[in-house]
Amino acid sequence: MSDPTTPTRRLPAPGRPVPVSTYRLQLGPDLSLDDAADLVPYLDSLGVTHLYLSPILRAAPGSTHGYDVVDHDEIAPELGGEAALRRLAEVAHAAGLGLVLDIVPNHMAVPTPAWHNRALWSVLTEGPESPYASWFDVDWSAGDGAVLMPVLGARIGEVLASGELTLDTDPERGPVLRYYDHVFPVRPGTEALPLAELVERQHYRLAYWRVADEELNYRRFFDVGTLAAIRVEDPEVFDATHALVLRLIDEGVLDGLRIDHPDGLADPGGYLARLREATGGAWVVVEKILQNDEQLPTDWDTAGSTGYDTAWRIQQAFVDPGGSGRLGALMHRLTGDTSDALPELVDQAKREIVDRALYAEVHRLTELAAEVCRDDLRLRDHTWRSLQDCLVELLVAMDRYRAYVVPGETPQPEDIEVLSTAAALARTRLSPERAATMDVLVDLLLGREVGSAGRTRDPRRDELIVRFQQTCGAVMAKGVEDTAFYRWTQLVSLCEVGGEPDRFALSPTELLTWAGRMQVTSPLGMTTMSTHDTKRSADVRARIGVLSELPVEWAELVGELRAASASWRPALLDGRTENLLWQTLAGTWTADGPLSAERLTEYLTKAIREAKQHTTWTAPDEAYEAAVLGAARQAVTDPAIDELFGRWEQRTREAVRAATLGTALLHLTLPGVADVYQGTEVPSIALVDPDNRRPVDHAAIAARLARLDEGAGARDLADEKLLLTSATLRVRRELREAIIGPEAGFVPLAHSSGHAITYARTVAGDPRIAVVATRLAASVERMGGWAEHTVALPEGDWQDVLTGRAVAGGVRRLAELLDRMPVALLVRED
């Protein structure tokens, strides 16, 4: 294993382009590739060096995001096709900008109609004999040797009796079965059979949609049955699904890649090694959620992660740890949850996911383990039930997305520790008689010799190792991110993708220590604050974070809000949802007022269904949802609520300003390649998708930037954030050797206040850029200002590019340095 202090695996090949910063564009119906080309002059002026494109391969009909790919050989016609991509590349390159592309190696869409995915259509037509059969992770031994297609609105008997399923002829595809918008191929030679027999003879099994959670026989993306996983670990599948993208990289159209959800792959490390070789060592980052202090495996060929690990740390450095107790007490009054209840809540949510949405995956794991044991005399007494019990408890006990055990290879010590620690916890939740079965299971999952002498490898053992790890990620994503994080309400801004709400707050020392380590191990990984997947934009999280600075005042406000809403607040509105509602309003209520009722109710609908306590996507409780959404609509139209939140917005305006600008400046100056999500160069009030994927008025932002560049002063927070973002991006571009250069460095600067975060970016140890940010401005205000607190700037003559002020090096008073803005970005003039 390589030494983690020598980042040889974290650097692209010599000579390969590396972004200094990226700007994420969500392509789709409202933004084509030609539209993106029109934005190049603005993005160049903003200071970014690369456009970061959402997936562009042909996707399922009506796709708004591109992650549901149906054809790897074609750029989506809706976006303009390959010709438009090349036009964009030509315009961007002429301006000195490059292109980075988001690709989806883990899965393809199961579209409606299915023929849009020709690989899948071939498998449905020809079954195991299809040339594409090896693409999909299908268990042909299950489901009567047919791919389960759970698309029916009722059980198959009812559908046949009702006549909703019919035999038809498609002019291009011949005989087909039609079920409303669904179209399926007919196996050659079965066209003349009676309908019931014809249906039974296909290479797929049409079934009631609820069957998917119990009998699905193909691997899917988490619990999404319309996304089927593909086997890119097969070299032929890798080559076929990456040919177009690799050609575009080879031709210089693309400069780098973002890899969606590598944890879903059979062997992420092997995939990244193959990708590095195929791209000639291009800059590649991976969407990897790192739990707590977990680090990327040291042998992964990647520049780093996409930055969720940066996002939560920056955000929590602006959370006041002193607010934990007060906010916990308020949560307890409203919900009954205690401040130490999160681990139990997470376990409960994961257990529900294992037992329901992912039951089919867990059943398949159990079948694999049971088959291994049945075929070995020495393991035969480990029963199906005991193996299932152990698997369930092990999946619940795993504290991260997965281990990275590769069949036939000696597992790394960290992977052994991860599984062993989870097994130790799982044993405490099982009867003592299950201990021996757990020992066998852990040995099997680590690829050790267990059972009869010499038995370490066979296809089922290998599959068990791989599928267990893939299932771990699904349990974490669905159980934690998409269930528990919608239930925990102490401070909802902490419940973010990749977040660590159990940490509550992070000290500046912890943040800067981590950043220093990243400068050594992953200096070219991505940093981010808002993405297309975040549950709230960074600016919404910053506003909610201010509650931790004023917990007493917030608790008093909630009391007033409850009194003002008592006459119309419905009895069905539970405490967790009510707490979520008030905090969401605090995070989205600006000087212009509240979020629109439509956007708020769309968000709450998703939130309460993801929480799965009173209503779900598959079984909506209409009365409960009507009560919640009615309360939300009333809240944004009630004059009393408007007055209360209006006063709160004014009371917290300066604290919000400091948190908004401070988190933005740290994001853009900490080690890594900074990514700006579209529209977040100005304050972005956005909630979970699709709210955060709404079209951006780039023309208005460009006009605002032009006004600032002409010398106009900043009039509001939007001007200030745009000024900060553009100035910092331009500094990054001009002084790239201090950001991504081989001798770039990072060093904290001494200061006397716990309410300041200070550091410098260096070249060969020589400071070139200095950063000063206010942390917890409400506390600074309570103390009467900065008093005599100071920061020790490196020697030399400096200029604050945000204010134009000249600053001499040495010990400087924070009150003088931060009298105009709560942040300072200093560049050494020599």
Side-chain angles (χ1 to χ4, degrees), residues 130-154:
S130 164
Y132 296 99
S134 63
W135 280 40
F136 299 96
D137 235 335
V138 176
D139 179 7
W140 293 103
S141 67
D144 299 321
V147 183
L148 186 70
M149 289 283 105
V151 300
L152 305 181

Side-chain angles (χ1 to χ4, degrees), residues 372-382 436 440 450-455 461:
V372 169
C373 290
R374 275 197 298 267
D375 287 352
D376 189 328
L377 178 63
R378 287 176 170 79
L379 300 179
R380 196 170 294 167
D381 287 346
H382 295 286
V440 167
V450 60
S452 298
R455 295 211 180 173
R461 288 183 182 229

Side-chain angles (χ1 to χ4, degrees), residues 346-354 395-396 398 475-476 480:
V346 166
D347 279 357
Q348 178 185 351
K350 289 166 71 175
R351 199 174 297 280
E352 291 172 12
I353 293 298
V354 165
L395 287 166
V396 172
M398 285 286 290
V475 172
M476 286 292 290
V480 181

Side-chain angles (χ1 to χ4, degrees), residues 150-337:
V151 300
L152 305 181
R155 290 178 174 81
I156 183 64
E158 297 174 44
V159 170
L160 286 170
S162 67
E164 295 170 287
L165 183 64
T166 60
L167 179 64
D168 198 357
T169 299
D170 184 282
E172 294 184 29
R173 297 165 189 87
V176 295
L177 282 171
R178 290 190 184 275
Y179 176 75
Y180 296 100
D181 292 336
H182 293 280
V183 181
F184 296 97
V186 172
R187 182 176 180 176
T190 65
E191 305 93 329
L193 294 172
L195 185 60
E197 187 177 349
L198 182 153
V199 169
E200 198 168 12
R201 292 282 303 279
Q202 302 311 306
H203 289 296
Y204 53 88
R205 173 192 161 195
L206 296 178
Y208 181 36
W209 64 270
R210 290 185 181 274
V211 171
D213 287 341
E214 298 182 16
E215 297 185 23
L216 199 67
N217 65 337
Y218 64 85
R219 187 168 61 85
R220 52 189 171 169
F221 175 69
F222 298 152
D223 64 343
V224 185
T226 55
L227 294 175
I230 55 175
R231 300 180 62 250
V232 292
E233 65 271 21
D234 183 327
E236 292 184 4
V237 179
F238 176 92
D239 292 342
T241 56
H242 288 69
L244 174 58
V245 169
L246 293 175
R247 173 167 60 82
L248 293 170
I249 290 177
D250 185 60
E251 295 174 2
V253 176
L254 301 175
D255 296 310
L257 299 172
R258 179 259 197 194
I259 308 303
D260 182 69
H261 185 52
D263 275 346
L265 304 178
D267 177 13
Y271 169 81
L272 291 169
R274 188 176 294 116
L275 189 65
R276 183 181 180 92
E277 180 180 2
T279 61
W283 182 79
V284 171
V285 290
V286 292
E287 185 206 23
K288 166 64 180 156
I289 292 177
L290 298 161
Q291 296 296 131
N292 214 323
D293 292 322
E294 179 187 5
Q295 298 183 46
L296 285 174
T298 56
D299 59 351
W300 278 18
D301 283 307
T302 176
S305 78
T306 52
Y308 293 134
D309 46 343
T310 307
W312 77 260
R313 285 178 169 86
I314 292 176
Q315 205 77 59
Q316 279 165 245
F318 287 79
V319 170
D320 191 336
S324 175
R326 293 279 189 175
L327 294 178
L330 176 60
M331 175 180 66
H332 181 60
R333 288 201 301 275
L334 291 177
T335 72
D337 295 326

Side-chain angles (χ1 to χ4, degrees), residues 2 115 136 373 563 584 629 732 812:
S2 59
W115 53 258
F136 299 96
C373 290
T584 299
L629 303 185
R732 291 178 66 93
R812 301 266 72 86

